[in-house]
């Protein structure tokens, strides 16, 4: 019990979770290999992590929007596979106890579009994040080459790191060539209006929305996932916008022999919803090995970020673990690239920067000493602030600022992450 005394209230939550998890496991043992519950994931946005090769900063040089521009938070910044590989070789992830690396999508992006409103109006808005595919089977040259991607994966494996590739099967990028060669593959406004399921059949932010129910589309999407799965050595998939894709697609995707067959590859889905019963459906009915624990995220964000929070609300999330056949399969997080960073949740509630770092430490302790696989967004180790998507923020204010490694010297969170990972590894019950 010593470990619980060490971490105070977070430990008490962990103890509660453990007892609930144990009940669930007894009720219905998981057939999923346990190994992913023992991983600790670091999430890097490749373009904003480390620039190992300045020669690729301007990508395919199609137009000005392809050029790296550090004065524009919506432009490419220069980070690449070479930068990630160098950091692995330097022991950066290992030192903090990470065992898996999730990177943003690697595929070729559509050209930049002009920003129509907000503080960055008139600037180029590029696919630096990777979620705007032009070609689902090509590497974006800003990040490097296919050979460099393979070298990154091989280096990761040599250094005890699994690699998780981010994929999108919900949509293509704005004006992607596929929308011209195969326009019938995408939902129209009329399809959206007529649909009984707006969540799956309407576009997100105007992005071309695939009709996964068409057999040709199902096959196309499955095939590109199998291509990456079977030819690069990746260990896992992070699946974007999962709730915006019809259930029938996921059922065949996760079935035996499917592109996401859990016997062949682990995956974690982004289901942006705070209701455990809704999240559970994607694992227990549709077959996803894991989903992100948005329920815990919302509680941690609202109740660990200020002295006025109510810890009961965090405990309430664990109390609903019975919604899942196996809650240990959830992937937990305190923030990510789509939400305000936890540090800014604290400061926006009136906390100081020092209090924000302390509260972040507490939030991470809660995660690491609870069920689920922790995932940590780049910048956490330096208590990076960030108000939200850079689209609506000026340079320096958003949640996807390039990593500033010089700030590690002034941070204790990198050591703390290492200590927490060591505790999880030593006391298996914590996972
Ligand atoms: Ca570069
Ligand atoms: Ca959709």
């Amino acid at each position: 019990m010593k470990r619980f005394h060490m971490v105070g209230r977070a430990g008490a939550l962990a103890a509660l979770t453990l007892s609930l998890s144990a009940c669930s496991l007894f009720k219905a043992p998981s057939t999923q290999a346990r190994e992913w519950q023992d991983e600790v994931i670091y999430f890097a946005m490749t373009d904003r992590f480390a620039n190992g090769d300045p020669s690729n900063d301007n990508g395919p040089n199609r137009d000005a929007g392809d050029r790296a521009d550090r004065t524009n938070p919506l432009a490419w910044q220069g980070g690449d596979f070479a930068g990630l590989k160098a950091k692995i070789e330097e022991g950066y992830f290992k030192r903090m106890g990470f065992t898996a690396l999730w990177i943003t999508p690697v595929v070729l992006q559509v050209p930049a579009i002009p920003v129509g409103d907000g503080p960055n109006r008139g600037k180029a808005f590029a696919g630096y994040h990777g979620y705007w595919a032009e070609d689902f089977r090509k590497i974006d040259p800003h990040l490097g080459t296919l050979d460099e991607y393979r070298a990154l994966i091989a280096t990761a494996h040599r250094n005890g790191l699994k690699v998780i590739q981010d994929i999108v099967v919900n949509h293509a990028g704005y004006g992607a060539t596929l929308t011209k060669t195969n326009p019938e593959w995408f939902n129209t406004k009329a399809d959206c209006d007529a649909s009984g399921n707006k969540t799956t059949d309407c576009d997100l932010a105007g992005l071309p929305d695939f009709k996964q129910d068409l057999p040709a589309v199902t096959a196309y999407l499955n095939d590109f996932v199998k291509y990456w799965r079977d030819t690069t050595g990746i260990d896992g998939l992070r699946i974007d916008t999962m709730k915006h894709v019809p259930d029938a697609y996921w059922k065949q995707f996760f079935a035996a022999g499917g592109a996401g067959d859990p016997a062949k590859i682990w995956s974690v889905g982004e289901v942006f919803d705070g209701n455990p019963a809704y999240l559970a459906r994607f694992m227990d009915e549709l077959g996803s090995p894991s989903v992100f624990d948005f329920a815990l995220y919302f509680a941690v964000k609202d109740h660990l970020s200020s002295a006025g929070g109510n810890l009961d609300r965090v405990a309430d999330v664990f109390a609903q673990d019975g919604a899942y056949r196996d809650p240990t399969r959830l992937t937990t997080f305190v923030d990510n690239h789509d939400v305000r960073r936890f540090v800014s949740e604290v400061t926006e509630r009136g906390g100081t920067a020092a209090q924000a770092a302390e509260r972040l430490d507490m939030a991470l302790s809660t995660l690491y000493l609870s069920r689920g696989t922790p995932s940590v967004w780049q910048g956490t180790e330096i208590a990076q602030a960030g108000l939200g998507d850079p689209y609506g923020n000026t340079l320096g204010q958003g949640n996807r600022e390039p990593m500033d490694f010089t700030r590690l010297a002034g941070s204790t969170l990198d050591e703390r992450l290492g200590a927490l990972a060591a505790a999880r590894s030593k006391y298996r019950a914590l996972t």
Side-chain angles (χ1 to χ4, degrees), residues 26 43 54 87 98 103 182 186 206 215 256 339 360 364 390 403 428:
F26 183 74
F43 169 35
K87 285 293 173 188
F98 291 103
I103 55 171
N182 301 72
F186 297 90
V339 300
L360 178 55
L364 291 166
M403 238 338 258
R428 196 183 168 88

Side-chain angles (χ1 to χ4, degrees), residues 90-256:
E90 168 192 315
Y92 187 76
F93 306 103
K94 194 169 199 165
R95 188 169 66 81
M96 294 186 284
F98 291 103
T99 60
L101 176 65
W102 153 27
I103 55 171
T104 41
V106 298
V107 300
L108 178 67
Q109 298 294 290
V110 295
I113 57 170
V115 178
D117 56 15
N120 298 297
R121 186 177 176 160
K123 291 181 176 167
F125 189 2
Y128 67 87
H129 42 71
Y131 299 102
W132 294 351
E134 158 61 16
D135 188 321
F136 287 84
R137 284 171 175 256
K138 281 191 184 142
I139 294 282
D140 196 289
H142 291 92
L143 309 178
T145 63
L146 180 58
D147 281 347
E148 285 177 294
Y149 185 41
R150 289 203 170 107
L152 165 64
I153 295 164
T155 302
H157 289 169
R158 271 199 304 280
N159 287 275
L161 267 184
K162 293 183 163 75
V163 175
I164 301 165
Q165 180 171 325
D166 207 326
I167 60 159
V168 186
V169 300
N170 177 61
H171 56 263
Y174 295 110
T177 302
L178 269 179
T179 64
K180 290 153 193 144
T181 57
N182 301 72
E184 72 285 4
W185 282 16
F186 297 90
N187 282 310
T188 60
K189 175 147 192 322
D191 292 330
C192 163
D193 290 343
S195 171
N197 190 336
K198 308 282 183 211
T199 305
T200 57
D201 301 340
C202 298
D203 68 75
L204 278 181
L207 289 158
D209 194 59
F210 280 116
K211 283 184 173 176
Q212 288 85 2
D213 292 341
L214 294 181
V217 176
T218 304
Y220 175 85
L221 297 170
N222 289 342
D223 287 352
F224 96 72
V225 176
K226 282 181 178 167
Y227 165 73
W228 294 110
R229 184 193 76 184
D230 296 340
T231 66
T232 62
I234 53 168
D235 306 278
L237 303 169
R238 180 267 183 186
I239 303 173
D240 189 58
T241 47
M242 188 174 256
K243 73 174 183 181
H244 299 288
V245 175
D247 288 359
Y249 181 80
W250 296 125
K251 281 186 182 163
Q252 63 82 39
F253 184 87
F254 292 118

